[in-house]
Amino acid sequence: MESLRVQGLSSGMLLELAGGTPYYFGIYESQLKSSLNFTQSQIDTVSSTGNLALYLSVEGGLLIDILGPKFLGCVAALLNFGGYFLLYQVVRGKVGASVGRVAAYVAIWQHGAGFMDNIAVVLTLKNFKHDSGKTIGLLKSFFGLSAAVFSCFTSNLLSMTTNKDGDEEQDLNQLFLFLTIVPCLLIALAFPGAKILPKDIGLSRVCAPGMRRCIRRHLRIETVSADWQQRAAPH
């Protein structure tokens, strides 16, 4: 029982790690702005639209009881993949780079990130009802540290380019391709433990057949012993 709960908590951590990429947007925001020739007002519109989509993803938590965490995890992965892949096509020049389109693409993947956060929180709240404060605090730390973790990997794994001022920058093509794939892989790794556990799992699901027989025999002995002691006690 406890091992299943810990596995579920680990899945929540992976979902939060995958869903914390909205905090990474500020790292490449100025580079995206110069690459698309946007003004500061235009890039602020893109950022605000993404934030709005992130905070309006409450349906992820509302539907988890109906559709289950794994189905919603698939939806979150599709939203993440679709949004980042479209941004990847934008920086490659394959798709138009209007402010409305870029804002819509950012909103798509940020909405998926909100799904990941909601799924992880609801999953953990249901599995750790007596330790919800500690576990939610642990999950939120992974959500906040996600940008730092992704930054460490991208700065060491992806190639750098030199801008017109002579400063080194990350290759946006590789960066968006990385962000298209890696969060989806993290969601896939979280799938085995993404389960809402019942209040009483029962012996049939946590014990081998031989162990179940031993436990039942022990329970019968304890019941008979308690009954005998009650009868033998002086009135």
Side-chain angles (χ1 to χ4, degrees):
M1 180 71 167
E2 290 303 317
S3 63
L4 293 176
R5 293 189 191 281
V6 172
Q7 188 178 10
L9 181 60
S10 301
S11 296
M13 293 176 185
L14 289 173
L15 287 170
E16 293 286 18
L17 197 62
T21 53
Y23 292 119
Y24 192 68
F25 183 79
I27 296 177
Y28 60 82
E29 179 181 0
S30 60
Q31 187 178 353
L32 182 65
K33 169 190 167 185
S34 60
S35 175
L36 301 179
N37 294 318
F38 282 1
T39 64
Q40 186 60 45
S41 176
Q42 289 173 328
I43 200 67
D44 287 343
T45 300
V46 171
S47 178
S48 299
T49 305
N51 290 336
L52 184 64
L54 172 67
Y55 297 126
L56 289 179
S57 57
V58 292
E59 70 271 20
L62 295 174
L63 295 175
I64 191 169
D65 289 326
I66 302 172
L67 302 176
K70 292 186 178 180
F71 180 84
L72 290 180
C74 291
V75 175
L78 287 174
L79 290 172
N80 180 90
F81 184 89
Y84 274 122
F85 185 74
L86 288 170
L87 281 177
Y88 171 65
Q89 296 297 326
V90 166
V91 296
R92 291 181 64 204
K94 303 294 184 180
V95 179
S98 65
V99 177
R101 285 186 176 182
V102 175
Y105 303 155
V106 171
I108 290 172
W109 69 256
Q110 290 217 25
H111 199 63
F115 261 54
M116 299 175 211
D117 178 46
N118 283 325
I119 294 167
V121 169
V122 174
L123 190 67
T124 304
L125 281 175
K126 289 182 176 292
N127 291 341
F128 290 89
K129 293 183 178 179
H130 300 294
D131 296 300
S132 57
K134 297 176 183 177
T135 51
I136 294 301
L138 184 61
L139 287 183
K140 287 303 181 180
S141 66
F142 274 79
F143 191 75
L145 289 172
S146 174
V149 173
F150 274 92
S151 180
C152 290
F153 278 98
T154 55
S155 60
N156 287 285
L157 296 178
L158 306 183
S159 61
M160 306 293 288
T161 60
T162 304
N163 60 19
K164 58 184 179 181
D165 298 325
D167 299 325
E168 286 191 343
E169 296 177 333
Q170 291 179 339
D171 188 335
L172 282 181
N173 290 340
Q174 294 184 13
L175 177 62
F176 284 131
L177 187 60
F178 181 88
L179 293 173
T180 298
I181 297 171
V182 173
C184 295
L185 293 178
L186 291 175
I187 295 174
L189 290 174
F191 260 42
K195 303 173 184 175
I196 298 176
L197 303 178
K199 294 180 180 179
D200 183 12
I201 283 187
L203 297 175
S204 62
R205 295 181 60 184
V206 296
C207 300
M211 181 64 70
R212 291 202 298 272
R213 287 193 295 270
C214 291
I215 293 175
R216 290 193 180 107
R217 190 179 300 117
H218 177 73
L219 291 175
R220 283 197 297 269
I221 292 172
E222 289 291 333
T223 302
V224 172
S225 176
D227 185 57
W228 179 83
Q229 290 177 6
Q230 185 178 5
R231 292 180 181 180
H235 297 283

